[in-house]
Amino acid sequence: MALRTIRTEGDPVLRKVSRPVTEMNQKIRTLIFDMLDTMYESMGVGLAAPQVGILKRLVTIDVGDGPIVLINPEILETSGEQTGDEGCLSVPGMAGQVTRPNYVKVKALDENMEEVIYEGTELLARAFCHEIDHLDGKMYTDLVEGELHRTVYDDDEV
Ligand code: ZN
């Protein structure tokens, strides 16, 4: 296990579309552990592989209920709306208002390449949308309503 360097806005890797994970192997397992370590160390609630420079469709999330690993995630269903501050480990110290669905249902593979379905509301729904956007080269800053502002707390950065 090791910490990986988080790429920050301006790094072209963050604007690329990631490729699906086709098989589980030691390299991917190590990447998952490293991403979890890096996410916890940075006090983030989510991290996507392109944020550590790897263009694979792989996401880790923990909104306080334990780690979630999503491989090749797809959003199946959304409903409602929430508007609130959102941040990103790749845009350190900043946040901005973003409107997201308040409920999101996601299908993915877990670390054993078995299908899993997650349903999230509020922060978890926001994290699903934010991280899956990273896999398509999208940043929350594209969606911000108004101006970005500085944050004191960075524990909601995803
Ligand atoms: Zn992010």
Side-chain angles (χ1 to χ4, degrees), residues 98-156:
V98 180
T99 298
R100 299 281 193 184
N102 197 48
Y103 164 88
V104 176
K105 185 176 183 179
V106 173
K107 179 175 88 168
L109 301 174
D110 67 10
E111 61 275 25
N112 300 312
M113 298 299 269
E114 282 169 13
E115 192 176 298
V116 282
I117 304 266
Y118 285 101
E119 291 176 289
T121 57
E122 301 175 3
L123 180 57
L124 184 55
R126 182 177 291 281
F128 285 148
C129 295
H130 180 114
E131 300 310 333
I132 292 170
D133 274 356
H134 272 303
L135 305 181
D136 292 318
K138 297 179 193 157
M139 298 283 288
Y140 87 96
T141 47
D142 304 341
L143 305 172
V144 163
E145 298 150 25
E147 299 288 310
L148 285 181
H149 58 87
R150 295 215 152 267
T151 61
V152 181
Y153 301 104
D154 60 359
D155 56 352
D156 275 356

